[in-house]
Amino acid sequence: MKLNYKRLGLLIFAILLVVSSWLGIATARSGLAVRSFQKEGIPLLYLTPQGAKAVPGVLVAHGFAGSKQLMLGYAHVLAHAGYAVMLWDFDGHGANGTRLQRYELQQNLDVALQALLEQPQVDPNRLALLGHSMGSGIVMTAGIRNPNRFAATVAVSPTGANVTPQSPRNLQLQAGSGEGRFVSNAERLLAQAGGENTNLATGQGRSLVVIPGVEHITILFSDRSHEAALRWLDATFGKTNGSQYVDRRMAWYGLHLLGWLVGLAAIAPLLTQPQTLVTKIAPVRRWAGLIVAPLAATAGLVLLSQRFELQNLGGVQVGGAVGVWFLLAGLTWLGVLARLPRPTLRAVGLGVLLFVILWVAFGAMAQVVWLQWWLIPIRLKVWLPIAIACFPWFLAVGIVQEHIGVRKRLLWWLGQSVVLIGGFVLTLNFLPQLGFMFLLLPLFPLLMGILSLVAGLLNRAWVYAIGSALFFGWLLAAGFSLSA
């Protein structure tokens, strides 16, 4: 099939979207000096206003299964407002290949602090801390241990620390309205720290900010959260801020992803050939397999937990267990379907090509926006095993979505999202040690919706399954932390 004028127009439009998105990212960095480096094996990322001199410095710490990239929203807002910001990957996270040992995380912060103090733009007498979730506990502890070093601490989605009315100095607590237990924990910490206090001049300022309409992950991309942290630090250091910067990098990331999907829609007919033989399966089997699959996966994990430490399976905390869950669920679903289309060498090649397209569409910009996408060698080793484990699930999804209309595809997207969320919640009910599976729950509707769109464009179960499994395995290998 040739590329007609309509599809050529789509392809040109897609290119314009991708180019515009990269220009938007470049604009977000305009006026900033950004530098990546390592110190004592810890990957660091430093942002500061160009030409800055003697500005306040801020250490920004990510949470569990996060990375320095996930905290870049705060870093950009603060750097544009005249702060020097240092981010880093804790052990076992992002590009840090050292296995996670919780008692060493404070040492990671100390290394980042030393790196910050070595920067010529930083005023060593004006320092602050900001951390999310696991990182919030680390920064609060640092502020308690050395109250004379840090003038303010911002704890987003706070965990725990031995806060008092005197330390850490000028403590702001933030939590999203959609993360109930973190709100409760923040209220407890506020009471323990002496309650609300707006007198920051004494160093005993205390505040709790509940950010509406966000939960544990989306709070990191919230303008209100960024602004609240900036106002607190400005009040601490007596800064009058004229910055008009609002972090829109995730919007540019979305535009980049849209551009690649539009481009895939333009070239999809060139990648596939008419299929004369369609796998026919009764609707009752399709839906029965989807419903039974999570039950079998949960039961299988419960049985495996009696012999294996699932949370560290494969050397990746929780990620290995997620792969096994998809393996058991996918095999169950395929067993109920009892039909498999025949693979071809062309389908395998197109599946790998689809993975490359998804890898670039999702990851090329993710590396500079929200996720450490480049896999370090130790993570690269677990990628293929996890992808192979996920393959049966995506093959089943590809089979049931071959040659169906838009309405049915929407129904399958909704059904798959509900089943995945319900299945993981059920798993967590029996295996609470896998609690960080909940990080995937908000991603399922969006991710499965995009992959369902891809399935509709290609209409080839094996192509879809190979590309999606390789991509999803990469996402799990990139996201979860390395276990000890």
Side-chain angles (χ1 to χ4, degrees):
M1 183 178 293
K2 294 182 180 181
L3 193 66
N4 58 32
Y5 287 113
K6 180 179 178 181
R7 297 195 179 277
L8 181 60
L10 271 180
L11 187 57
I12 293 173
F13 179 59
I15 293 172
L16 290 174
L17 290 179
V18 172
V19 171
S20 298
S21 66
W22 280 107
L23 289 175
I25 291 297
T27 300
R29 287 193 171 197
S30 178
L32 301 181
V34 182
R35 185 162 63 95
S36 297
F37 61 102
Q38 285 199 2
K39 184 177 178 64
E40 297 183 24
I42 297 177
L44 297 145
L45 183 60
Y46 178 62
L47 291 81
T48 187
Q50 290 179 353
K53 293 181 180 179
V55 298
V58 186
L59 293 174
V60 176
H62 65 77
F64 181 82
S67 65
K68 55 188 180 299
Q69 283 88 341
L70 197 57
M71 304 299 289
L72 275 172
Y74 297 98
H76 277 78
V77 169
L78 293 174
H80 277 287
Y83 291 85
V85 184
M86 185 68 73
L87 310 99
W88 69 97
D89 289 330
F90 281 116
D91 286 352
H93 292 76
N96 190 330
T98 303
R99 297 289 185 176
L100 176 62
Q101 299 286 349
R102 289 188 181 274
Y103 57 83
E104 293 181 355
L105 297 183
Q106 196 68 47
Q107 183 180 350
N108 293 169
L109 183 146
D110 293 339
V111 173
L113 170 61
Q114 186 59 40
L116 181 64
L117 292 173
E118 291 170 359
Q119 307 309 311
Q121 301 86 1
V122 176
D123 181 350
N125 297 314
R126 293 192 294 168
L127 301 177
L129 300 154
L130 186 151
H132 172 247
S133 194
M134 177 187 76
S136 74
I138 303 299
V139 299
M140 284 190 288
T141 299
I144 293 166
R145 289 180 176 178
N146 201 344
N148 295 325
R149 168 69 79 181
F150 301 107
T153 299
V154 178
V156 182
S157 304
T159 50
N162 295 321
V163 299
T164 70
Q166 290 76 38
S167 63
R169 295 172 63 194
N170 292 338
L171 174 64
Q172 182 190 72
L173 301 159
Q174 290 190 24
S177 61
E179 48 174 356
R181 75 182 175 90
F182 286 96
V183 175
S184 301
N185 196 46
E187 291 171 343
R188 180 187 62 79
L189 286 169
L190 180 65
Q192 186 178 328
E196 287 280 347
N197 184 348
T198 58
N199 187 2
L200 277 69
T202 64
Q204 296 180 19
R206 300 298 186 247
S207 177
L208 169 58
V209 183
V210 178
I211 309 298
V214 296
E215 44 75 51
H216 196 65
I217 300 301
T218 53
I219 192 173
L220 300 176
F221 308 107
S222 166
D223 294 339
R224 293 191 179 186
S225 177
H226 301 160
E227 292 166 4
L230 177 59
R231 286 196 302 268
W232 189 256
L233 296 182
D234 281 347
T236 295
F237 296 114
K239 283 172 57 67
T240 301
N241 209 310
S243 172
Q244 301 299 314
Y245 177 81
V246 178
D247 193 54
R248 292 288 177 263
R249 293 170 313 108
M250 284 301 290
W252 293 118
Y253 174 78
L255 194 68
H256 179 266
L257 178 57
L258 176 63
W260 277 93
L261 292 176
V262 171
L264 180 60
I267 66 172
L270 304 178
L271 301 178
T272 58
Q273 295 176 341
Q275 185 173 342
T276 56
L277 182 62
V278 179
T279 305
K280 295 183 178 180
I281 302 172
V284 65
R285 282 195 174 189
R286 298 171 186 245
W287 285 102
L290 177 62
I291 294 170
V292 171
L295 302 177
T298 301
L301 278 187
V302 170
L303 290 175
L304 287 173
S305 68
Q306 298 174 12
R307 299 192 61 182
F308 300 98
E309 189 179 358
L310 293 180
Q311 60 267 39
N312 296 321
L313 197 63
V316 180
Q317 287 203 348
V318 179
V322 171
V324 174
W325 191 96
F326 273 97
L327 174 64
L328 298 174
L331 291 175
T332 301
W333 197 354
L334 289 175
V336 175
L337 293 175
R339 294 285 191 280
L340 283 179
R342 183 177 299 176
T344 64
L345 187 60
R346 176 182 172 84
V348 173
L350 289 176
V352 174
L353 176 61
L354 174 60
F355 162 66
V356 172
I357 293 173
L358 291 173
W359 190 95
V360 175
F362 279 83
M365 188 174 283
Q367 179 70 24
V368 297
V369 173
W370 71 280
L371 179 65
Q372 174 64 43
W373 190 248
W374 291 97
L375 295 186
I376 57 177
I378 194 171
R379 292 184 180 276
L380 201 57
K381 291 179 181 179
V382 303
W383 162 51
L384 276 180
I386 293 177
I388 292 170
C390 294
F391 175 77
W393 174 271
F394 287 105
L395 181 57
V397 173
I399 291 171
V400 301
Q401 292 190 82
E402 270 192 332
H403 301 285
I404 60 176
V406 174
R407 290 184 179 180
K408 287 185 177 180
R409 196 171 301 283
L410 286 172
L411 187 60
W412 273 109
W413 161 73
L414 179 62
Q416 187 183 178
S417 298
V418 169
V419 163
L420 284 174
I421 293 173
F424 274 52
V425 170
L426 180 65
T427 300
L428 294 176
N429 184 60
F430 288 99
L431 300 170
Q433 66 267 37
L434 302 179
F436 280 95
M437 275 186 171
F438 85 89
L439 292 172
L440 290 171
L441 301 188
L443 293 177
F444 280 140
L446 177 62
L447 186 59
M448 296 306 163
I450 293 172
L451 293 180
S452 290
L453 173 63
V454 171
L457 293 174
L458 298 175
N459 264 325
R460 296 292 182 274
W462 280 90
V463 176
Y464 168 83
I466 293 171
S468 297
L470 289 172
F471 164 72
F472 192 68
W474 190 284
L475 186 63
L476 293 181
F480 286 103
S481 63
L482 302 171
S483 58

